[in-house]
Amino acid sequence: MLSARSLFQEIIDNDDSYRLFCSIAASGEAQGGWENARIAALLPESMRDLAPKVTRHGADEDKHGRIFTALLKKRGLEPVPVPPETDYTMLLEQRGIGLTHEKLRRDRPLTEEDILVYLSHSRVTEQRAADQMDMLVKFFGDHPEVGKAIRQICDDEENHLAYCHEELLSLAYAGHGRAIQRTLRQCALAEIAVYRDVSLAVMDHMGRLLKWPAAKRTALSLGIRGMYAYERAGGWRRMVDLRMPERRNALGGPAEPATAY
């Protein structure tokens, strides 16, 4: 029987698939760390009060990248190059979602509109990350090899999501509500398509590494496409609603260290 638990168990148990999984995760988190560090450095003067939180966000992402790399080293494995078709961050940028790396490499201050785009993009992608980590904690939170890492990353992702809700609501109260909703919708509709494409690509690579039969690959492909159809029909709306989080000022302090890694 196909299930998220059984699929992830297969991936963890095989060195080649585990190495690809951790390499993809580490690369994505490292990109997020760099992006947030650049945004913190380029914040407009009117929004400099966000700098500690954006910096903390980036530090958390860097930490997650180190955690995934440490999980590889713990098993005596080295990272592998990330196939471009599985690069979630790059594919979102190619669709015009978020702030481009070209813009972030400049030493020119960002605008308030840029920060609205950054927070909206983060609201959507952090929802995806939080959902995925919740699922992994449910199934593997007590796993002796990856459980501690998953729980720590999951808690951080909940903080990131709370931060996005709180800051976007603050901007909405300041009169940017319509622009925020428009940007959130654009980000969400692009994200669900990219997530579908990346999921198909990752499962294709895993299928070859794990020698899955054609019937299993077909079933997984149908499941991924079915999830996209659900999200396209209305499931995307969970990624754009805004509500005041229970965790207030979630990124108000320094990043929690990952001393075990």
Side-chain angles (χ1 to χ4, degrees):
M1 179 180 176
L2 289 179
S3 67
R5 183 196 294 269
S6 65
L7 289 172
F8 195 64
Q9 188 68 61
E10 283 190 73
I11 291 169
I12 290 177
D13 290 344
N14 179 279
D15 281 352
D16 290 334
S17 56
Y18 182 72
R19 183 163 63 164
L20 178 60
F21 169 79
C22 288
S23 296
I24 292 171
S27 174
E29 297 288 356
Q31 286 187 67
W34 177 84
E35 289 170 2
N36 278 277
R38 290 302 298 155
I39 291 166
L42 299 175
L43 282 166
E45 195 60 38
S46 61
M47 305 182 82
R48 291 303 302 170
D49 59 310
L50 276 179
K53 296 179 182 180
V54 181
T55 300
R56 161 76 184 274
H57 192 179
D60 283 345
E61 303 287 4
D62 277 336
K63 176 182 70 179
H64 300 167
R66 294 195 303 273
I67 288 174
F68 282 113
T69 300
L71 288 175
L72 285 174
K73 291 182 178 179
K74 187 175 180 181
R75 199 183 281 194
L77 302 172
E78 291 295 326
V80 295
V82 174
E85 64 273 18
T86 69
D87 192 332
Y88 175 79
T89 303
M90 180 189 73
L91 292 172
L92 280 172
E93 181 178 341
Q94 288 177 356
R95 284 182 175 252
I97 300 304
L99 302 179
T100 67
H101 283 190
E102 179 186 3
K103 177 176 282 191
L104 295 180
R105 289 189 184 99
R106 302 173 190 161
D107 286 326
R108 191 177 305 162
L110 299 171
T111 66
E112 291 187 5
E113 183 181 356
D114 288 331
I115 303 309
L116 185 152
V117 168
Y118 148 68
L119 287 169
S120 297
H121 168 257
S122 296
R123 157 72 183 97
V124 171
T125 56
E126 293 296 345
Q127 181 71 59
R128 182 71 70 186
D131 290 348
Q132 289 182 319
M133 296 313 301
D134 281 344
M135 177 190 69
L136 290 178
V137 166
K138 177 181 177 182
F139 296 141
F140 295 95
D142 295 325
H143 191 279
E145 185 173 8
V146 301
K148 184 175 182 180
I150 287 172
R151 293 195 306 273
Q152 184 165 12
I153 294 171
C154 184
D155 188 62
D156 287 344
E157 300 297 2
E158 291 293 341
N159 283 336
H160 299 169
L161 189 56
Y163 149 74
C164 292
H165 275 276
E166 189 169 7
E167 297 304 330
L168 283 170
L169 281 172
S170 178
L171 286 171
Y173 294 148
H176 300 285
R178 289 189 177 181
I180 289 170
Q181 282 302 317
R182 183 173 62 250
T183 307
L184 283 172
R185 185 179 188 278
Q186 178 187 14
C187 288
L189 291 175
E191 193 280 340
I192 62 174
V194 168
Y195 182 70
R196 173 202 60 197
D197 294 344
V198 168
S199 297
L200 289 169
V202 170
M203 287 301 107
D204 182 60
H205 282 279
M206 295 300 179
R208 282 188 271 113
L209 290 172
L210 296 168
K211 297 179 172 59
W212 286 338
K216 184 172 184 176
R217 294 193 194 195
T218 299
L220 285 171
S221 175
L222 289 173
I224 292 168
R225 294 179 190 279
M227 175 57 71
Y228 171 72
Y230 159 75
E231 292 193 326
R232 188 66 181 84
W236 61 272
R237 296 183 187 280
R238 80 185 189 286
M239 308 176 88
V240 304
D241 72 316
L242 294 175
R243 59 189 181 281
M244 190 56 70
E246 292 183 10
R247 301 186 185 193
R248 303 292 296 273
N249 196 30
L251 297 188
E256 293 288 334
T259 53
Y261 302 95

